[in-house]
Amino acid sequence: MAEKILEVKDLAISFKTQYGILKAIRGVSFDLYKGETLAIVGESGSGKSVTSRAIMGLLAGNSVYEGGSVMYAGRDLIQMPEELFHQIRGSKISMIFQDPMSSLNPIMRVGDQITEALMFKLKMPKAIAKRKAIELMESVGITEAEKRYYQFPFQFSGGMRQRIVISIALANNAEILICDEPTTALDVTIQGQILDLINQLKKERKLSVIFITHDLGVVANMADRIAVMYAGKIVEIGKAEEVFYNPQHPYTWALLSSMPNLATSKKLDAIPGTPPNMIYPPKGDAFAPRNKYALEIDYEEQPPLFKVSETHYAATWLLHPNAPKVTPPDAVIRLRNNRGSINK
């Protein structure tokens, strides 16, 4: 087993709103190992981005930590004073966001933005930082880097802007890279290029990556492990091949059934209903009202994480020894019978 680099345990986060307390994260636990890519997958509002921002210490002012810990290098980031956290954020743990323009200064040359990051965090002299910035631009696939160093963000395409953001995130030799839906705003071709780039940089720099997405298909060929989130909880976690080819939770079944697959012309299955209002969290399994396989107990009691294998767990009462046996949807059975048919 690879060395553990990050440990999130029983993390619980709420937000104060004008309508009441919103329970955004409800006891999330997972580990991140050196050199692996952990994908966190779920619909909008499932808690993926809140979890990643909690790791970075970037939550809004109305957030409340209800409990839990985020352990890195023997320290709990949740309890760490901001002046110490500031030394880790961007240096040891970096993050790239969905919209690169939210990370770039529109009136500052892109090269200067990378140079400034190197000078600020690594205390490099400006001339050395500039040379390093050009090398970083080249390393993320930007051609004519010496010329483009002097250009502004609006002179770059969406994919190229994302490459600039990646170069800034890696400027300080971070160990952990958190990618929060970094390809959502890009077309399919450019999306594939950015995914390949992240994979390449992960291997070259021995990075540990947390990849946030709503689309299981995006991480099919890059994730080592997958955590599926719903209503602020992890409902299934395991190796990528376990989650894709032996999924156990009905929500994972629903996500896989709604994923495009070029191997079949069958129409996609939409997930009925909407996620619950977490100002009024449900008593039982939050997915029960949308789950055609729901049992009576699902409406009364939250299921624990049942062990499927040493590396695979799922929170569904269908795994209880006394539960009735149900057949997964056709799309899930097709995936199981046609390994390797998943498309990026």
Side-chain angles (χ1 to χ4, degrees), residues 31 86 91 115 132 135 152 157 198 209 256 260 295 300 311 315 325 330-331:
D31 299 326
H86 189 63
S91 296
T115 299
K132 178 67 174 176
E135 290 174 8
F152 293 92
S157 66
I198 292 171
V209 177
L256 289 168
L295 307 173
E300 298 297 325
T311 54
K325 301 303 178 187
D330 291 344

Side-chain angles (χ1 to χ4, degrees), residues 143-307:
T143 57
E144 298 183 293
E146 289 193 30
K147 174 185 174 182
R148 306 211 72 177
Y149 178 96
Y150 296 99
Q151 294 181 335
F152 293 92
F154 74 85
Q155 295 175 283
F156 289 74
S157 66
M160 284 297 172
R161 284 197 289 263
Q162 197 61 285
R163 289 173 186 266
I164 291 294
V165 171
I166 292 171
S167 69
I168 293 172
L170 298 177
N172 302 306
N173 302 315
E175 293 185 308
I176 298 173
L177 179 64
I178 301 175
C179 307
D180 190 358
E181 307 237 24
T183 62
T184 299
L186 306 176
D187 65 54
V188 175
T189 302
I190 304 303
Q191 182 182 90
Q193 293 175 6
I194 296 298
L195 293 176
D196 288 342
L197 174 62
I198 292 171
N199 255 343
Q200 173 194 330
L201 293 170
K202 169 198 163 186
K203 292 172 185 174
E204 290 175 354
R205 294 169 172 259
K206 297 179 172 58
L207 289 169
S208 303
V209 177
I210 297 176
F211 197 101
I212 309 292
T213 181
H214 64 275
D215 185 354
L216 266 169
V218 166
V219 295
N221 297 312
M222 69 179 297
D224 298 298
R225 289 190 303 131
I226 295 173
V228 179
M229 283 194 74
Y230 187 78
K233 282 181 169 288
I234 289 178
V235 297
E236 185 158 5
I237 186 167
K239 291 181 179 179
E241 61 267 25
E242 293 173 322
V243 173
F244 274 113
Y245 301 122
N246 189 32
Q248 300 295 318
H249 198 283
Y251 181 57
T252 312
W253 294 351
L255 289 177
L256 289 168
S257 298
S258 64
M259 188 176 73
N261 190 322
L262 296 180
T264 176
S265 58
K266 184 181 181 295
K267 71 174 185 178
L268 304 181
D269 295 326
I271 305 175
T274 57
N277 181 347
M278 296 311 293
I279 292 177
Y280 308 101
K283 181 180 179 182
D285 185 345
F287 189 58
R290 308 174 71 187
N291 177 15
K292 69 178 181 179
Y293 306 96
L295 307 173
E296 282 187 28
I297 192 173
D298 282 308
Y299 295 92
E300 298 297 325
E301 190 175 341
Q302 295 180 21
L305 277 169
F306 288 93
K307 182 177 179 180

Side-chain angles (χ1 to χ4, degrees), residues 16-32:
K16 296 176 182 177
T17 76
Q18 60 180 319
Y19 304 108
I21 302 298
L22 188 149
K23 301 288 186 179
I25 303 296
R26 304 184 296 152
V28 164
S29 298
F30 63 84
D31 299 326
L32 178 68

